[in-house]
Amino acid sequence: MKRFKIFLGLSIVVLMSISAKAYMQQRPLYEIHSMLLYNFIKYIEWPASDKTGDFVIGVIGDENVYNALNKWYGSKNKGEQKIVIKKFEGALDVTKCHVVYISSKKSSEFDLVKNIASGQHILIVTDKAGLGKKGSNINFKMVNGKLKFELNKSTTEKAQLKVSSQLEKMAIIL
């Protein structure tokens, strides 16, 4: 198990260090986002109260991310929980979930999602410059042509989510 975790950690490091432009010639960005979303949940621990029922990942504004997540990970488990992928049309559709991904084209929904998620254990992942500092837990960011991600430790701690040190080492800490 320890070797598997090391392998998985190294896989993410390699993926994050590859030039996004070169990698996107092989895979579209929505596929990379989908893979990273799935890998993030492996390195984050939710409170015990959220470890029953289905593990729900919601997607706002990107049909391709939704479809890829559903196809690749919709039949998998996170621990004892079955992973369920839900498509939300907007912030007002957000129901009980563990993760919500907001695409750049729906970033105007961020403030409302943040208010809805307040006091809950929801990981908010975004793809728009500035949203990491504004309160997203994880925000994708291009840096010198490479895909990186910001981790807002303050908002993640407020949501009572525990991020592994391995994930922190790969992130741009805010």
Side-chain angles (χ1 to χ4, degrees), residues 16-62:
M16 296 304 291
S17 64
I18 294 174
S19 167
K21 185 175 181 180
Y23 192 74
M24 285 172 29
Q25 291 174 354
Q26 297 172 358
R27 291 211 179 264
L29 191 57
Y30 73 86
E31 287 186 0
I32 298 169
H33 283 188
S34 300
M35 288 184 269
L36 290 171
L37 280 166
Y38 178 72
N39 282 302
F40 291 153
I41 68 172
K42 294 178 181 181
Y43 291 92
I44 297 174
E45 185 177 335
W46 276 257
S49 61
D50 289 302
K51 293 183 180 178
T52 60
D54 294 332
F55 187 90
V56 179
I57 301 172
V59 177
I60 298 175
D62 195 320

Side-chain angles (χ1 to χ4, degrees), residues 24 27 44 46 61 118 144 152 172-173:
M24 285 172 29
R27 291 211 179 264
I44 297 174
W46 276 257
S118 180
N144 298 323
N152 187 320
I172 300 166
I173 304 295

